[in-house]
C-alpha cells in the first residue's frame, strides 16, 4: 500500500555508478558480490575502493616510507584482483581506487565527492583494528554519507 498523493515508480529506477568498499572481511566480500550483481543488472559502472589504514601500523612502520610504500603496493595489487574478478563476472566498466587514511572519513569526504556514485555498498564489519568489533566505519559511512548506503552482513 502506498500512502500520500505522489507515489514514486521505482520500476524505472536504476543505478549508473556503484561504489563498493572492500577490505577482505567476510562482510566486505559479500558486499562486493552484491555490488557485482547490481552492476550487471543495472549495466552500471562499478568503482572498487580500499583504504590503507596507517592506524593499524606501529609507529616505526608508519614512519618507514619503505614499509608504507610496500603496504600500499600490496593493496594496489590486491584491489586489481577484485577488478579482474568483477570483469570476469561480467561487469563491463570497472575502476579500482586505493586511498589512505580512516576508511569512513576518506570514503565519505573524498572518494564519494570524486567518484559521484549513486550508492555506496559496504560490509558491516571491518577486517582490521579494534573498530571491527564495533562496526564504527560502517556506522560512520551510513550516518554521514551524502548518498544512500547499503550495509551488507
Amino acid at each position: 500500500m502506498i500512502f500520500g498523493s505522489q507515489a514514486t515508480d521505482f520500476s524505472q529506477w536504476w543505478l549508473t555508478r556503484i561504489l563498493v568498499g572492500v577490505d577482505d572481511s567476510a562482510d566486505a566480500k559479500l558486499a562486493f558480490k552484491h555490488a557485482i550483481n547490481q552492476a550487471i543488472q543495472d549495466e552500471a559502472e562499478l568503482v572498487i575502493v580500499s583504504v590503507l589504514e596507517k592506524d593499524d601500523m606501529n609507529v616505526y612502520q608508519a614512519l618507514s616510507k619503505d614499509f608504507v610504500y610496500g603496504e600500499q603496493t600490496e593493496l594496489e595489487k590486491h584491489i586489481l584482483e577484485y577488478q579482474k574478478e568483477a570483469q570476469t563476472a561480467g561487469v563491463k566498466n570497472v575502476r579500482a581506487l586505493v586511498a589512505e587514511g580512516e576508511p569512513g572519513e576518506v570514503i565519505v569526504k573524498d572518494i564519494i565527492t570524486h567518484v559521484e556514485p549513486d550508492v555506496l555498498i559496504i560490509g558491516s564489519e571491518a577486517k582490521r583494528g579494534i573498530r571491527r568489533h564495533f562496526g564504527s566505519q560502517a556506522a560512520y559511512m551510513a550516518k554521514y554519507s551524502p548518498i544512500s548506503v547499503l550495509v551488507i552482513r
Side-chain angles (χ1 to χ4, degrees):
M1 177 177 272
I2 299 175
F3 296 97
S5 61
Q6 295 181 345
T8 304
D9 181 8
F10 288 107
S11 66
Q12 299 299 316
W13 186 71
W14 63 89
L15 304 171
T16 59
R17 186 171 298 128
I18 299 167
L19 178 63
V20 62
V22 296
D23 68 1
D24 280 346
S25 66
D27 286 350
K29 289 178 181 180
L30 286 174
F32 178 64
K33 294 202 181 295
H34 183 83
I36 286 174
N37 291 334
Q38 192 67 53
I40 292 169
Q41 178 183 318
D42 291 345
E43 296 181 10
E45 176 184 15
L46 180 61
V47 181
I48 308 162
V49 65
S50 193
V51 180
L52 178 63
E53 294 180 75
K54 282 190 175 180
D55 286 350
D56 290 341
M57 299 176 202
N58 67 43
V59 68
Y60 299 108
Q61 292 170 329
L63 291 174
S64 169
K65 290 180 184 176
D66 290 337
F67 182 82
V68 173
Y69 177 76
E71 289 289 303
Q72 185 159 356
T73 301
E74 278 300 309
L75 187 56
E76 288 169 357
K77 287 180 188 174
H78 194 59
I79 202 164
L80 290 176
E81 293 172 12
Y82 276 102
Q83 183 178 20
K84 184 183 243 181
E85 183 179 340
Q87 290 168 330
T88 300
V91 181
K92 292 180 171 77
N93 192 0
V94 184
R95 284 192 286 161
L97 302 171
V98 172
E100 188 177 307
E102 281 295 311
E105 285 185 34
V106 169
I107 290 172
V108 168
K109 294 178 180 176
D110 299 330
I111 303 297
I112 289 175
T113 303
H114 175 73
V115 172
E116 298 180 340
D118 299 309
V119 67
L120 168 63
I121 301 176
I122 53 173
S124 64
E125 294 184 16
K127 177 185 172 196
R128 299 182 187 179
I130 194 164
R131 283 182 218 89
R132 71 176 177 234
H133 301 295
F134 305 115
S136 66
Q137 296 300 321
Y140 178 91
M141 289 183 267
K143 183 174 182 178
Y144 295 107
S145 175
I147 60 172
S148 295
V149 177
L150 179 57
V151 179
I152 304 293
R153 58 175 50 218

